[in-house]
Amino acid sequence: MKFLGIDVGSTFLKSSVLDLEEGKVRGAAGAPTPAFAEADLQGRKLDPARKEIPMGALAEAVKNLIDEAVIKDGISGVVFSVQMHGCMLFDPEGKPLTNYISWQDTRGVMPGDNGISVLEELRGAAWKPYFEENGVLLRPNHSVIPLTHYLRENGIAPGTQFAMIGDALMRMLTGKRAPVHPTNAASSGMYSLLREEWNRELLTKLGLDVLDMPEVRDTREAAAVYTAPDGTEIPLYAALGDQQATVLGIGTGAGDVFINIGTGGQIGYCAAEPVPGPYETRPYFGGNFIRTVTQLPSGRTINVLTRFLKSILEPMGTVLYGAGESMGTVFDGADLEKAVWDYIDSLDFEKIDGDPLGLDFSFFTPEGGAVENITDSNFTAGNLIRSTYLAFAKAYTDHISDLNIPENEYAEVVCTGGVVRKNRPLMRCMQDAFSGKCRIADCTDDSMEGLLRFAKWCVRGEHIFG
């Protein structure tokens, strides 16, 4: 039996065939995630704070991946992992009222008429018990923030249907409403971990009780059925949150510590109980929960620095030197991106002179980040990269103590995510920082391995950790 696994990322859609008989992930296909819309569905121009994905274009891209796999591979089901936190609205008949409001949307950070943003307001003491029950340390990306802003700006008619990205895709593909998996529902900031249902008291207090909320279901049953062009009926299973799918892929169970560095960065611990703390608590599998510290340095951070290096090299088209190390080659039609990463991969940090630079990674806030402690000898390309990776490692070691691990005992830290997997200098810094207790996960495609485990559980009830 073969399933198709689809990972709906922020920049790319990736799919692989999951062979349930042999327990293998086979092949890869994909397409770019559609660019952010320039206008909302009412034709109003979107300002830079509003990051909305046209759901019709996204659903069409997913449909193409499924249709191709039906013809080529004879798949008999589809499982998804998806970017979390965002949301969209449908009218009671299933007509989209909004684009998909992405987790990258920051409208809720903008000051309102009273000079206070939705985020600032909901971080107040009066709201703390609700979000503590929901396992949330409130951030701009939680659905509740842009959704509340939308309510106050546009109003919401009673019976309007709330959706997250997985069930919204299934709605677009099948015309029928689908349930939400708890791993996604919790990322909205509106789901009670203790009651395992939408936090109705919070919704009422916010004025969001006018919404028709979807069913939340953790089940082996299909969430919807898609009919391919040739008439084949393909079960679609409830979409998993991308973090939980990735962590599942490396076999994480109760008591394990993991680090995920991809587009975003997190450190987490798998626990049996949802205990509040200076971290987010997210539903996992087997009745467990993930305690996770999020928004740590990640691929987005590194991209800022590599763009800086490329902006220097591209116009120069020649060799740049700093503190004795060769920065690159003459770029005569060469692949600039590859050259920069080859340079980073070749660095020997022990041979780079000068004290590390001080780095503030707040690049994505209105205030911006900073590079500090510059002297007449240490402001070189090599030291910028070294300082970045040392600061990465320190950020993760600093936050492991926030996870309230009993007696602070853990056997090892398993690292996953494309950034750390492909970046040897960064992984060396992580290993040094964790005194050798840090290793790369064994599998090469963590999210697809997680979807394979999930598919085998859905079809056969096989133990999900294994």
Side-chain angles (χ1 to χ4, degrees):
M1 178 178 287
K2 295 177 182 177
F3 268 42
L4 185 68
I6 299 179
D7 178 56
V8 182
S10 303
T11 57
F12 204 74
L13 304 175
K14 179 179 64 175
S15 69
S16 292
V17 175
L18 312 176
D19 189 325
L20 275 60
E21 303 300 329
E22 297 188 16
K24 300 290 186 182
V25 175
R26 303 191 185 281
T33 301
F36 291 125
E38 296 182 0
D40 64 18
L41 293 188
Q42 288 68 47
R44 296 171 296 196
K45 183 177 174 62
L46 294 170
D47 62 56
R50 300 170 194 248
K51 305 294 186 185
E52 300 186 5
I53 297 173
M55 184 55 76
L58 182 61
E60 185 65 23
V62 170
K63 179 181 185 300
N64 291 339
L65 292 174
I66 297 174
D67 290 347
E68 182 179 351
V70 169
I71 295 169
K72 286 179 55 180
D73 304 293
I75 61 167
S76 53
V78 181
V79 284
F80 299 87
S81 67
V82 295
Q83 53 181 288
M84 295 190 290
H85 305 294
C87 63
M88 70 176 290
L89 300 176
F90 292 86
D91 73 12
E93 285 70 50
K95 178 184 176 181
L97 296 175
T98 68
N99 295 311
Y100 174 71
I101 301 172
S102 162
W103 63 272
Q104 298 181 61
D105 191 281
T106 57
R107 71 187 71 190
V109 180
M110 309 304 292
D113 294 339
N114 60 357
I116 300 174
S117 70
V118 171
L119 179 63
E120 289 177 292
E121 178 186 340
L122 298 193
R123 280 180 171 172
W127 300 93
K128 184 177 179 181
Y130 296 102
F131 293 112
E132 188 173 86
E133 177 180 335
N134 298 354
V136 168
L137 297 177
L138 206 57
R139 301 188 190 279
N141 55 5
H142 289 105
S143 314
V144 67
I145 299 298
L147 184 62
T148 300
H149 186 282
Y150 181 92
L151 168 70
R152 295 175 180 180
E153 186 176 58
N154 302 284
I156 296 177
T160 296
Q161 296 179 352
F162 173 85
M164 304 192 77
I165 193 167
D167 55 311
L169 276 171
M170 293 182 205
R171 185 72 172 269
M172 302 290 284
L173 291 170
T174 69
K176 296 183 179 179
R177 201 172 189 191
V180 180
H181 195 270
T183 55
N184 265 309
S187 74
S188 70
M190 299 182 291
Y191 178 79
S192 169
L193 298 181
L194 300 180
R195 288 179 270 183
E196 297 184 332
E197 62 180 11
W198 298 110
N199 191 325
R200 301 289 175 179
E201 293 177 8
L202 174 64
L203 293 174
T204 299
K205 189 174 176 66
L206 287 169
L208 293 171
D209 52 336
V210 296
L211 289 171
D212 180 357
M213 303 297 286
E215 178 187 3
V216 180
R217 188 195 303 170
D218 179 12
T219 178
R220 294 168 51 193
E221 297 176 4
V225 176
Y226 168 70
T227 303
D230 66 357
T232 304
E233 293 189 341
I234 305 295
L236 311 178
Y237 293 81
L240 307 181
D242 53 3
Q243 185 198 33
Q244 287 94 326
T246 295
V247 174
L248 179 62
I250 61 177
T252 301
D256 294 337
V257 178
F258 65 88
I259 287 173
N260 179 40
I261 308 180
T263 303
Q266 311 102 26
I267 186 169
Y269 170 72
C270 186
E273 299 291 337
V275 179
Y279 44 75
E280 288 202 29
T281 304
R282 297 178 174 178
Y284 190 51
F285 305 98
N288 294 308
F289 297 84
I290 290 175
R291 301 174 186 172
T292 184
V293 178
T294 64
Q295 296 196 341
L296 295 179
S298 65
R300 296 177 74 204
T301 313
I302 295 174
N303 287 342
V304 172
L305 301 178
T306 56
R307 282 198 302 269
F308 168 69
L309 297 180
K310 287 186 286 186
S311 73
I312 296 173
L313 287 172
E314 191 168 25
M316 292 180 64
T318 187
V319 177
L320 178 68
Y321 291 95
E325 78 269 13
S326 175
M327 176 61 196
T329 59
V330 176
F331 295 105
D332 183 12
D335 183 345
L336 185 59
E337 179 85 14
K338 182 177 184 301
V340 168
W341 282 105
D342 285 348
Y343 165 71
I344 292 173
D345 198 46
S346 71
L347 288 173
D348 183 347
F349 291 167
E350 293 183 0
K351 295 181 179 179
I352 294 176
D353 297 328
D355 294 332
L357 297 161
L359 291 164
D360 176 352
F361 293 132
S362 305
F363 300 141
F364 308 102
T365 64
E367 296 78 18
V371 180
E372 301 174 331
N373 303 336
I374 297 173
T375 69
D376 62 346
S377 62
N378 73 347
F379 193 44
T380 67
N383 197 32
L384 179 62
I385 298 300
R386 177 184 70 154
S387 302
T388 299
Y389 288 0
L390 291 174
F392 258 64
K394 185 176 187 303
Y396 285 90
T397 54
D398 284 351
H399 283 289
I400 195 169
S401 61
D402 292 338
L403 299 175
N404 291 337
I405 300 173
E407 300 180 8
N408 201 32
E409 290 187 3
Y410 55 94
E412 61 181 1
V413 178
V414 180
C415 289
T416 182
V419 172
V420 71
R421 188 179 291 283
K422 299 174 183 177
N423 199 322
R424 289 183 293 180
L426 174 58
M427 189 59 202
R428 286 195 292 269
C429 288
M430 299 293 288
Q431 288 172 327
D432 289 344
F434 282 96
S435 304
K437 295 176 71 173
C438 193
R439 69 170 177 87
I440 287 284
D442 296 329
C443 53
T444 57
D445 193 333
D446 311 318
S447 61
M448 288 299 163
E449 290 286 348
L451 289 179
L452 174 60
R453 289 174 184 263
F454 181 62
K456 291 168 72 174
W457 176 72
C458 289
V459 173
R460 300 174 181 165
E462 291 188 15
H463 194 283
I464 201 162
F465 300 119

